[in-house]
Amino acid sequence: MSKQQQLDAIARQIVDDKVCPELAGQATQLVFGDGNPDAEVVFIGEAPGKNEDLQGKPFVGASGKFLSEMLETIGMQREDIYITNIVKYRPPDNRDPLPEEKKTFLPYLQSQLEVIAPKVVVTLGRHSTNCFLPDLQISKSHGEPKRVKLQLKESDDVLEVVILPLYHPAAALYNGGMRQTLIDDFAAIPLIIKKLQS
Ligand code: URA
């Protein structure tokens, strides 16, 4: 099976497992993930918003536009990365995802990472960051790469990734200072990839 076929199977599994039925019942559709299954970098957001829910793809609204602009500043495009969220149905009124919802979706996110096997995982905002680094405070440690070993589900092996915790683009969108911080932090991405290749 190709990586894309394996990812499609995980998406079907979420539906078959009836994950978070209350969220699913209010959402238009599952927003599983999008981009290059062979990417070296995976971005993880929080949960779909209104536009994502309607289009079935992550980060297609205002935050997504800003994300694409930031990618351009480091010479990358959406086709070069894979992007997803922890919670894969839109929470009503865009409320924060609940701890229980994040916990329920986490094994599926892990399976996604296991298939893609990226070198770098960029976590956008505290919700996705704290899934991997529970004690990290974004305000203190944004832009600081951390090596993490993820236990694989399908074997006893671990997947070694570098997690780069960043502010969520939505938080930085209309805040000049935070916006520049996020752009500056993005500059670390190609440097980390280069270092891992050497
Ligand atoms: N914010 C997120 O965290 N994810 C999206 O897909 C869109 C906005």
Side-chain angles (χ1 to χ4, degrees):
M1 254 204 290
S2 70
K3 283 191 175 193
Q4 189 57 58
Q5 285 168 328
Q6 293 178 64
L7 291 171
D8 293 344
I10 301 166
R12 277 197 304 276
Q13 196 66 49
I14 293 175
V15 176
D16 290 350
D17 290 347
K18 299 193 170 35
V19 172
C20 294
E22 283 192 12
L23 284 187
Q26 296 180 63
T28 308
Q29 56 191 317
L30 181 77
V31 181
F32 180 69
D34 190 38
N36 184 350
D38 292 312
E40 292 185 317
V41 191
V42 169
F43 284 73
I44 305 176
E46 179 178 319
K50 188 175 178 210
N51 291 296
E52 290 77 21
D53 175 66
L54 291 173
Q55 294 186 41
K57 289 187 177 178
F59 284 95
V60 290
S63 302
K65 190 164 170 275
F66 181 32
L67 190 70
S68 299
E69 282 169 25
M70 285 186 294
L71 281 171
E72 259 178 52
T73 68
I74 56 167
M76 292 181 89
Q77 294 183 333
R78 291 284 278 252
E79 296 77 42
D80 300 323
I81 61 153
Y82 186 87
I83 189 157
T84 186
N85 288 300
I86 326 164
V87 167
K88 292 169 170 41
Y89 291 115
R90 181 192 183 198
D93 304 319
N94 293 345
R95 66 154 167 76
D96 280 355
L98 303 175
E100 195 55 36
E101 292 164 351
K102 290 185 272 186
K103 202 173 144 200
T104 312
F105 270 110
L106 189 57
Y108 301 95
L109 177 61
Q110 280 177 330
S111 298
Q112 259 173 310
L113 292 176
E114 198 164 330
V115 169
I116 300 166
K119 291 193 167 75
V120 183
V121 173
V122 180
T123 52
L124 299 167
R126 71 188 160 90
H127 290 283
S128 63
T129 299
N130 292 150
C131 280
F132 302 98
L133 302 161
D135 301 322
L136 188 138
Q137 277 181 270
I138 295 257
S139 55
K140 288 199 183 129
S141 304
H142 62 85
E144 293 174 12
K146 312 271 179 210
R147 278 180 192 275
V148 168
K149 287 185 178 151
L150 302 177
Q151 179 60 53
L152 299 187
K153 288 171 70 201
E154 306 297 335
S155 76
D156 289 339
D157 287 347
V158 289
L159 175 68
E160 286 192 38
V161 293
V162 171
I163 306 268
L164 182 67
L166 298 186
Y167 282 120
H168 193 289
L173 202 49
Y174 305 109
N175 175 330
M178 212 187 264
R179 192 182 162 95
Q180 191 55 48
T181 302
L182 192 47
I183 292 170
D184 293 345
D185 286 350
F186 247 72
I189 297 171
L191 302 178
I192 297 168
I193 297 174
K194 201 166 171 200
K195 201 168 163 197
L196 290 172
Q197 281 166 345
S198 63

